[in-house]
């Protein structure tokens, strides 16, 4: 049946029977359906997508900060949308999965960061020159006279024959390290993956490894090229309340203190020690690098924080499969953003329209389309909207540790995060293209849209490790993470790249990430149609896609599937 006729028939059928399993009365159904002042239709559409996005990114939702009034408004809206669609609760008999968390808020006015060199003490300006937090849930944390040592990229990778900590005892010391991988700044494809970031290049890994090594503190030197974003992103992301899972849910070692140095502050530190940062960066990108003490430099820090135990919520809904309800395809996006920053003058609401109102609105649109699919999917479809992505993928990590449907029986995860608004394009970017067999499912679907699959233009940013699908990938679940396209059908690739660059420079993790009613959303509709078709194909087949040979996650997947068959 042509798509237009299918939807005409579906709309007519919907009038009589849709959504009655959840809503008690016709009146309550209409009330929820029109909560946003808009009557939603079953087909993925720019109008419905825009309405969800406008609500989620409104000032009323306060930037969707976990643990705030904005969270309450957000999760209630999401639950009501799933109820409107007649979807089942995805976590037992409820739509919410409680995620225990620790909230730590540093008092920047009362806290001090300082460097002492040659007998001279210099305080670092919090937010301008450095940021630091503790992950040990302690209200007061002090570090005095800690020697600084440069450990290159802070990588310990036995399989690659690389250990930046070889022969070094870091107890009591503050390690200073570079962002990204050893091959990045050297542009050496023979080291790790060259310009493409691996997990060893992510700041999360670097702090985790420093904690395993027993360091007292760790500071990453920021540079825009290596990080993929400017210092303002670091400042905005590391100010205000920071979130962690409770130690019982995340028993990995945690640093007493961790943070970043601005490029300018780091350069000054090395110059005063008689060292050249550029020279050391080059040395750190060669095999055999040895850690270098930063002269007589000492780090002193006192952090005064407010610490409280709290909780946030993942929101989960499910469409049970007709034949294999215990097997699932997961569509996911994170609902959280950076909340409201009351200490900032002017517009201090970080609305998070692109990041990640777009992904959440996309999952809602896909969910709505699945409710009218005939025949009904044979496997279950799970719609997972997670919290605490901005705090290190914590909501998805908690789900992965407590999945309602075991990850061994999770066929695939499809992630939507910060979908760019470029318009209709000739290409479709897949973050981590070539990692898994999910590409083979998507490719012919994209071809029907007259589009080609391409990898991300800046693999050095490590986007595959920076969003919630990675919590699934680490458990072996094949993950598909699309990022829209850039090669605009009329205006070309340079135009698309300029849109992305403009967003990254002016709105990413800033108060300017706001909804714009003039956006051309047709390209996003194409993207959603494509990933909807991927899930629909998997939901009515016996395929079990895997990671490709040579990928580190393939063995994890094979082991989990063998266990599921036993």
């Amino acid at each position: 049946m042509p798509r237009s006729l299918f939807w005409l028939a579906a709309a007519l059928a919907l009038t009589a029977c849709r959504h009655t399993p959840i809503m008690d009365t016709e009146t309550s159904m209409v009330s929820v359906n029109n909560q946003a002042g808009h009557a939603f239709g079953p087909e993925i559409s720019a109008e419905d997508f825009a309405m969800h996005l406008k609500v989620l990114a409104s000032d009323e939702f306060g930037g969707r900060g976990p643990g705030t009034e904005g969270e309450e408004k957000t999760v209630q809206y999401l639950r009501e949308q799933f109820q409107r669609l007649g979807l089942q609760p995805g976590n037992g008999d409820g739509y919410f999965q409680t995620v225990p968390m620790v909230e730590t808020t540093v008092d920047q006015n009362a806290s001090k960061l300082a460097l002492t060199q040659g007998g001279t003490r210099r305080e670092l300006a919090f937010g301008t020159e450095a940021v630091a937090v503790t992950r040990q849930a302690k209200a007061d944390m002090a570090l005095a006279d800690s020697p600084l040592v440069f450990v290159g990229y802070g990588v310990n990778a036995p399989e690659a024959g690389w250990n930046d900590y070889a022969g070094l005892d870091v107890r009591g010391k503050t390690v200073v390290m570079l962002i990204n991988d050893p091959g990045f700044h050297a542009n050496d494809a023979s080291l790790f993956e060259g310009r493409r970031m691996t997990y060893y290049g992510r700041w999360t890994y670097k702090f985790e490894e420093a904690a395993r090594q027993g360091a007292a503190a760790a500071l990453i030197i920021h540079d825009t090229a290596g990080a993929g974003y400017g210092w303002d992103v670091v400042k905005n992301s590391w100010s205000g309340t920071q979130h962690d899972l409770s130690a019982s849910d995340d028993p990995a070692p945690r640093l007493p203190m961790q943070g970043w140095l601005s490029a300018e502050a780091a350069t000054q530190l090395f110059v005063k020690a008689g060292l050249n940062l550029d020279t050391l960066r080059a040395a750190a990108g060669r095999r055999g690098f040895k850690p270098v003490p930063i002269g007589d430099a000492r780090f002193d820090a006192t952090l005064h924080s407010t610490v409280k135990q709290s909780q946030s919520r993942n929101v989960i809904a499910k469409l049970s499969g007709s034949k294999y309800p215990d097997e699932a395809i997961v569509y996911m996006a994170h609902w959280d953003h950076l909340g409201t920053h009351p200490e900032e003058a002017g517009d201090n609401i970080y609305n998070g329209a692109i990041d990640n109102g777009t992904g959440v609105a996309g999952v809602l649109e896909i969910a709505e389309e699945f409710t009218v699919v005939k025949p009904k999917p044979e496997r279950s479809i799970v719609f997972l909207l997670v919290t605490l992505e901005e705090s290190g993928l914590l909501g998805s990590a908690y789900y992965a540790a407590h999945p309602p449907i075991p990850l061994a029986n999770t066929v695939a995860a499809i992630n939507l995060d910060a979908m760019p608004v470029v318009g209709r394009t000739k290409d479709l970017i897949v973050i981590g293209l070539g990692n898994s067999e999910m590409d083979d499912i998507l490719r012919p679907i994209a071809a029907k849209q007259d589009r080609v699959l391409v990898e991300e233009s800046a693999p050095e940013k490590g986007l595959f490790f920076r969003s919630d699908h990675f919590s699934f990938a680490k458990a072996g679940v094949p993950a598909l993470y699309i990022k829209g396209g850039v090669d605009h059908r009329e205006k070309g690739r340079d135009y698309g790249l300029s849109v992305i660059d403009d967003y990254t420079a002016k709105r990413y993790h800033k108060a300017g990430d706001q909804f714009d009613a003039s956006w051309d959303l047709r390209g996003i509709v194409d993207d959603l149609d494509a990933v909807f078709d991927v899930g629909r194909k998997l939901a009515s087949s016996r395929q079990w896609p895997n990671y490709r040979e040579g990928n580190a996650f393939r063995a994890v997947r094979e082991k989990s599937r063998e266990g599921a068959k036993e």
Side-chain angles (χ1 to χ4, degrees), residues 150 178 221 263 266-267 270-271 275-283:
F150 177 65
L178 303 168
I221 299 170
T267 298
F270 282 84
V271 167
L275 300 170
N276 183 289
L277 181 55
D278 290 335
T279 301
L280 286 174
R281 184 181 288 116

Side-chain angles (χ1 to χ4, degrees), residues 128-452:
T128 303
E129 295 182 298
V131 293
V133 299
T134 179
R135 292 196 59 215
Q136 294 192 348
K138 295 181 179 178
D140 298 298
M141 182 67 69
L143 182 65
D145 203 35
S146 175
L148 275 77
V149 57
F150 177 65
V151 293
Y153 288 87
V155 171
N156 178 18
E159 76 283 359
W162 194 284
N163 185 2
D164 286 325
Y165 291 94
L168 178 65
D169 181 357
V170 297
R171 287 174 294 181
K173 296 183 174 66
T174 295
V175 296
V176 179
M177 64 193 87
L178 303 168
I179 192 63
N180 220 300
D181 292 297
F184 173 75
H185 292 98
N187 197 21
D188 185 347
S190 69
L191 296 179
F192 293 77
E193 294 186 21
R195 298 281 292 181
R196 176 186 288 276
M197 184 185 287
T198 73
Y199 187 51
Y200 292 117
R202 284 287 290 145
W203 61 265
T204 50
Y205 163 79
K206 294 176 186 293
F207 290 139
E208 290 167 3
E209 185 60 34
R212 282 189 288 270
Q213 295 288 333
L219 298 171
I220 294 175
I221 299 170
H222 174 265
D223 73 85
T224 299
Y229 41 77
W231 177 255
D232 280 351
V233 173
V234 176
K235 180 182 70 174
N236 294 338
S237 301
W238 287 68
S239 63
T241 300
Q242 304 295 304
H243 303 91
D244 277 301
L245 294 181
S246 63
S248 60
D249 291 309
D250 179 18
R254 302 182 181 188
L255 284 165
M257 202 172 294
Q258 63 188 46
W260 294 68
L261 283 174
S262 71
E264 293 78 10
T267 298
Q268 188 172 353
L269 165 67
F270 282 84
V271 167
K272 286 190 174 182
L275 300 170
N276 183 289
L277 181 55
D278 290 335
T279 301
L280 286 174
R281 184 181 288 116
R286 293 191 291 266
R287 291 191 180 278
F289 167 79
K290 301 296 182 184
V292 177
I294 306 177
D296 66 350
R298 297 293 188 270
F299 183 51
D300 296 285
T302 303
L303 297 181
H304 297 294
S305 306
T306 301
V307 180
K308 68 175 183 176
Q309 303 294 322
S310 185
Q311 62 186 33
S312 188
R313 284 160 289 183
N314 294 331
V315 188
I316 315 170
K318 180 176 68 174
L319 181 67
S320 288
S322 60
K323 289 186 179 181
Y324 310 103
D326 295 331
E327 300 173 3
I329 294 93
V330 176
Y331 284 92
M332 64 190 305
H334 73 91
W335 61 255
D336 66 304
H337 197 54
L338 301 179
T340 300
H341 294 211
E343 73 282 358
E344 296 181 11
D347 183 2
N348 56 19
I349 299 176
Y350 286 56
N351 302 80
I354 297 292
D355 184 14
N356 183 34
T358 53
V360 176
V363 170
L364 293 175
E365 282 295 280
I366 288 169
E368 186 142 14
E369 186 159 355
F370 265 111
T371 63
V372 295
V373 162
K374 301 297 180 182
K376 185 178 178 180
E378 296 178 358
R379 288 165 157 166
S380 294
I381 311 293
V382 172
F383 305 100
L384 171 63
L385 301 173
V386 299
T387 184
L388 296 167
E389 187 271 354
E390 302 289 6
S391 300
L393 318 183
L394 302 184
S396 57
Y398 189 85
Y399 178 95
H402 307 277
I405 294 179
L407 296 189
N409 291 334
T410 299
V411 180
I414 300 172
N415 183 37
L416 302 176
D417 189 359
M419 304 177 73
V421 184
V422 172
R424 304 195 75 181
T425 62
K426 301 175 184 178
D427 58 350
L428 179 56
I429 295 171
V430 178
I431 306 299
L433 183 66
N435 280 341
S436 81
E437 295 165 355
M438 294 291 287
D439 304 340
D440 300 331
I441 300 169
L442 177 61
R443 187 170 285 105
I445 292 169
K448 288 181 180 179
Q449 295 182 336
D450 191 26
R451 302 171 80 187
V452 296

Side-chain angles (χ1 to χ4, degrees), residues 111-115 122-124 126 130-132 257 299-301 303:
S111 300
K112 302 293 182 183
L113 306 176
L115 296 172
R122 183 173 76 89
E123 290 196 0
L124 297 168
F126 229 115
V131 293
M257 202 172 294
F299 183 51
D300 296 285
L303 297 181

